[in-house]
Amino acid sequence: MVNNTEYKMISIICPCYNSIETIKGVFDSISSQKNMKFKIEVIFVDDGSMDNTVNLINSEIKRLHVKGIAAYLYTSPHKGPGAARNIGIKKSIYKYIAFIDSDDIWYETKIAICEQAILANPESNIFIHDETYIRNNKESSTIVNGVHTNPLKTSLYVKNCLSTSAVIVKKELLTKYGDFDQRLMSSQDYDLWLKLSPYLVLHKINDILGEYHETSNSTT
């Protein structure tokens, strides 16, 4: 029998860099979550922003605190989103890690539906859902994530089917087998999934639970 209490914990990590125009959408996403039963924390890591991102985050964090959501901000010199996520992973305290980029959006049922999937599939260690893809705030289409042939390890070498802002992964995978390669300024997420691929047990959630925004300031 599964002890459900050990699953009720998610750390959400958001790397930020010059995100003044988009970061409020992340706060709106998290504060609007409905029917959420898991305990969560939100970790913002500013990667050396040169605009007013840090001040805005500090202001918006108060809104999460009012709703009883633990939220923190850490800052570092500019080293890229991989380095920022690694700081968030090290600071996190919960069993599962979710990532959201500073220009992406989660829908209000994201965490509740992912909770159900985690509780129903204790053998899985990574969860993925679908997204709406929005390019330059205009064009939209659906990203169907998690589609692969077996084994997943081989399929991932052909094509990346894991979108970072749509993934929830067990923290122990990251602490045992490697984190983001901060030497890479892009595709750090794909590199990570390839490193973890021999150990991944994927569960696909067939719901569109967020928006992946591609802009000139996208972190990946």
Side-chain angles (χ1 to χ4, degrees):
M1 183 176 179
V2 176
N3 178 6
N4 287 350
T5 59
E6 69 172 311
Y7 291 93
K8 295 184 178 180
M9 48 193 74
I10 299 176
S11 297
I12 301 166
I13 296 172
C14 178
C16 312
Y17 178 68
N18 292 343
S19 304
I20 191 70
E21 299 296 331
T22 60
I23 191 64
K24 191 172 183 297
V26 173
F27 283 94
D28 291 342
S29 294
I30 294 169
S31 64
S32 67
Q33 293 297 306
K34 290 186 174 181
N35 303 318
M36 186 173 63
K37 297 181 177 64
F38 282 24
K39 189 171 184 179
I40 67 170
E41 64 172 356
V42 191
I43 300 171
F44 297 90
V45 183
D46 184 78
D47 185 42
S49 290
M50 296 176 289
D51 60 8
N52 204 37
T53 296
V54 168
N55 288 335
L56 180 57
I57 291 173
N58 277 323
S59 175
E60 288 291 312
I61 277 177
K62 297 174 184 176
R63 178 154 60 113
L64 297 183
H65 289 169
V66 168
K67 295 182 74 70
I69 298 172
Y72 313 94
L73 170 64
Y74 300 94
T75 60
S76 71
H78 183 50
K79 295 181 180 179
R85 292 191 189 104
N86 288 343
I87 291 171
I89 292 167
K90 288 180 175 63
K91 297 293 185 181
S92 66
I93 63 172
Y94 290 147
K95 183 169 184 172
Y96 288 89
I97 302 287
F99 300 101
I100 182 169
D101 285 345
S102 61
D103 51 1
D104 290 342
I105 296 294
W106 286 352
Y107 296 155
E108 61 187 13
T109 57
K110 150 92 176 194
I111 294 179
I113 290 176
C114 289
E115 287 174 354
Q116 294 170 12
I118 290 170
L119 292 173
N121 298 276
E123 74 286 352
S124 296
N125 56 23
I126 187 167
F127 301 81
I128 187 80
H129 60 76
D130 298 332
E131 299 169 291
T132 299
Y133 170 56
I134 297 180
R135 185 172 185 176
N136 295 323
N137 298 318
K138 294 180 181 179
E139 303 171 23
S140 66
S141 58
T142 298
I143 303 175
V144 181
N145 289 310
V147 176
H148 67 283
T149 57
N150 288 318
L152 175 60
K153 177 175 71 172
T154 302
S155 184
L156 273 172
Y157 274 98
V158 177
K159 183 179 180 181
N160 183 16
C161 64
L162 302 176
S163 174
T164 307
S165 286
V167 158
I168 295 181
V169 61
K170 273 190 177 178
K171 181 180 177 179
E172 67 179 7
L173 283 174
L174 305 172
T175 56
K176 281 185 179 181
Y177 304 116
D179 49 17
F180 292 90
D181 187 340
Q182 61 191 51
R183 297 169 299 177
L184 302 175
M185 293 304 287
S186 65
S187 301
Q188 315 91 348
D189 47 356
Y190 189 22
D191 174 76
L192 177 65
W193 310 138
L194 290 174
K195 275 193 297 190
L196 298 183
S197 61
Y199 317 105
L200 296 179
V201 181
L202 176 66
H203 177 78
K204 168 67 190 301
I205 300 169
N206 294 308
D207 294 287
I208 300 173
L209 299 180
E211 296 176 2
Y212 171 80
H213 288 245
E214 184 179 350
T215 66
S216 58
N217 196 41
S218 294
T219 56
T220 56

